Amino acid sequence: MNFKTSLLALVMLAVLGLSACKEDAIVTTLDPEQLVAGRLGGTWAKPTNIVTPEGVPSEVFGAMRLVLTTDELGKPSEFLGQDCPIIFSGEAGTWAATGSQDDAKVMLTGITPVDEFTAKVNSSSLIISFRMGWENTDTGVTGEGDFSVTLSRQ
């Protein structure tokens, strides 16, 4: 009799355990902004493949380091552009993203002089591109042109 009672109790526990697993299943659907933020989020540095307008030295990118954080919901939160004061102020700002995981537009708030850029990202690199006005303070020559740089995930 003990064996039958033990077996019945074991079967009931198994059924209860399996039904509890079904109720606890977490199903989360991420919106497009969360998907893009998940790909862009993190620290990016070590500028390579630098493209600048004619007459603008590649040194304008300095030792660029970008930090893009997300909040607890996976949405864009804080942006910080370090060691590249000609491109991004050293102040912390916020960011928002539209587009796809592989080709996004990033809008910055509280950051100057560049306040938006396009981003192409994969698992190990981020290519940012933007248009910006520039001035050579030595010669007084001014212009506007397209800039691009590839950064590595850190």
Side-chain angles (χ1 to χ4, degrees):
M1 191 89 125
N2 272 341
F3 176 74
K4 288 182 182 180
T5 305
S6 296
L7 182 60
L8 181 61
L10 185 60
V11 169
M12 288 181 67
L13 285 174
V15 169
L16 289 172
L18 290 175
S19 66
C21 290
K22 288 180 184 178
E23 292 173 14
D24 291 342
I26 297 174
V27 178
T28 303
T29 303
L30 300 176
D31 67 34
E33 186 180 42
Q34 289 169 308
L35 292 171
V36 173
R39 287 290 295 243
L40 291 172
T43 301
W44 303 90
K46 299 182 181 174
T48 60
N49 302 326
I50 296 170
V51 176
T52 63
E54 186 176 331
V56 177
S58 62
E59 289 81 17
V60 299
F61 284 99
M64 180 182 278
R65 180 181 176 91
L66 303 182
V67 180
L68 295 100
T69 64
T70 57
D71 64 17
E72 63 279 351
L73 298 175
K75 299 229 179 220
S77 181
E78 190 172 63
F79 173 88
L80 182 60
Q82 301 172 314
D83 301 325
C84 53
I86 295 171
I87 309 297
F88 299 112
S89 62
E91 304 290 320
T94 58
W95 64 290
T98 59
S100 71
Q101 297 176 56
D102 300 317
D103 191 12
K105 181 177 181 181
V106 176
M107 289 78 55
L108 307 172
T109 304
I111 303 295
T112 59
V114 173
D115 60 1
E116 99 178 18
F117 59 85
T118 60
K120 294 183 186 294
V121 64
N122 63 38
S123 61
S124 61
S125 65
L126 167 69
I127 301 170
I128 66 167
S129 304
F130 53 89
R131 187 155 184 86
M132 181 175 89
W134 55 270
E135 176 183 6
N136 183 323
T137 55
D138 293 334
T139 65
V141 174
T142 62
E144 185 175 315
D146 296 320
F147 293 76
S148 179
V149 64
T150 300
L151 301 168
S152 300
R153 188 176 290 280
Q154 301 300 296

